[in-house]
Amino acid sequence: VQVVQSGGGSVQPGGSLRLACAASGFTVSSKYMTWVRQAPGKGLEWISVIHNDGSTYYADSVKGRFTISRDNSKNTVYLQLNRLGLDDTAVYYCACLYCDNWGQGTLVTVSS
Amino acid sequence: QAVVTQEPSLTVSPGGTVTLTCGSSTGAVTSGHYPYWFQQKPGQVPRTLIFDISNKPSWTPARFSGSLLGDKAALTLSGARPDDEAEYYCLLSYSGAWPVFGGGTKLTVL
């Protein structure tokens, strides 16, 4: 079982990024897949989830700017990050929380 | 948005027992909050210790247990080891809103 993340990097304020979370050993469409982030030196923040039925939920801090989705054929979950601000700088983790299957994390840096 | 509260720091002696708690600004923590506990060591990815109050992924050592204690969720560590030194986070779910993490408890084994 493995979760491999990709897609982080540096972006200017107002910019966009897409994070990917590719799973092996389990099927993402049968799980609740969650995105959590951690700003430098700070605690964990729950930001989004996609349920096995495809329903999606967001924290208010990202609602309307971030979009979670999945591609069942690729067994991959995505997080589209738009209108990024300085306080979106964080390590972003993808996980099936109750499975204890976590990605390695990907750093998103928003800086001018 | 609800606020989830944890002790900022706790210290336990090797071999000792310690209980970390997780409270909610909305009132008593119940099974409907589906409490989770996570362990994170410096520079590492978090790991899920406990889900739905007291259920454990296969890796969780038996010395960790979850419960509801009074009006809070609780994580009890019995027989602490130096390797248990870490930051511990709880997560509570809220009907009609998004789940919220607590601020974390830094556990020192000393």
Side-chain angles (χ1 to χ4, degrees):
Chain A
V1 174
Q2 195 174 14
V3 178
V4 177
Q5 295 181 227
S6 60
S10 295
V11 64
Q12 291 186 332
S16 299
L17 282 173
R18 189 177 79 158
L19 308 183
C21 167
S24 57
F26 70 98
T27 303
V28 298
S29 62
S30 67
K31 308 291 186 185
Y32 288 14
M33 296 299 296
T34 299
W35 287 92
V36 171
R37 69 182 179 184
Q38 187 168 36
K42 302 297 184 182
L44 301 174
E45 180 186 10
W46 186 98
I47 54 174
S48 185
V49 67
I50 183 165
H51 287 182
N52 52 349
D53 66 1
S55 55
T56 59
Y57 302 89
Y58 302 91
D60 266 5
S61 59
V62 306
K63 195 176 297 182
R65 300 188 299 123
F66 292 7
T67 303
I68 191 170
S69 63
R70 71 181 179 221
D71 184 332
N72 295 342
S73 67
K74 296 182 178 179
N75 207 30
T76 297
V77 175
Y78 301 97
L79 188 69
Q80 177 69 39
L81 288 62
N82 294 333
R83 291 162 36 211
L84 284 161
L86 297 178
D87 55 0
D88 293 316
T89 294
V91 174
Y92 287 71
Y93 296 103
C94 166
C96 171
L97 297 183
Y98 56 87
C99 315
D100 188 38
N101 294 333
W102 290 72
Q104 80 277 20
T106 187
L107 178 63
V108 172
T109 303
V110 185
S111 173
S112 55
Chain B
Q1 177 185 348
V3 176
V4 177
T5 56
Q6 299 182 242
E7 299 86 0
S9 63
L10 290 170
T11 300
V12 61
S13 300
T17 297
V18 64
T19 297
L20 289 65
T21 67
C22 176
S24 174
S25 62
T26 62
V29 176
T30 70
S31 59
H33 290 95
Y34 304 99
Y36 275 71
W37 291 93
F38 303 90
Q39 180 192 69
Q40 187 179 32
K41 297 181 180 180
Q44 295 188 17
V45 176
R47 294 206 68 178
T48 307
L49 262 178
I50 300 283
F51 63 95
D52 293 354
I53 304 176
S54 59
N55 294 294
K56 301 179 186 180
S58 58
W59 81 273
T60 303
R63 61 184 181 274
F64 290 95
S65 62
S67 65
L68 294 179
L69 194 63
D71 60 355
K72 296 182 179 181
L75 174 71
T76 299
L77 170 58
S78 303
R81 300 181 180 181
D83 187 51
D84 296 327
E85 201 163 276
E87 193 85 23
Y88 292 83
Y89 294 94
C90 68
L91 176 70
L92 300 179
S93 295
Y94 292 89
S95 177
W98 61 96
V100 179
F101 279 99
T105 296
K106 183 174 183 179
L107 182 66
T108 300
V109 181
L110 188 62

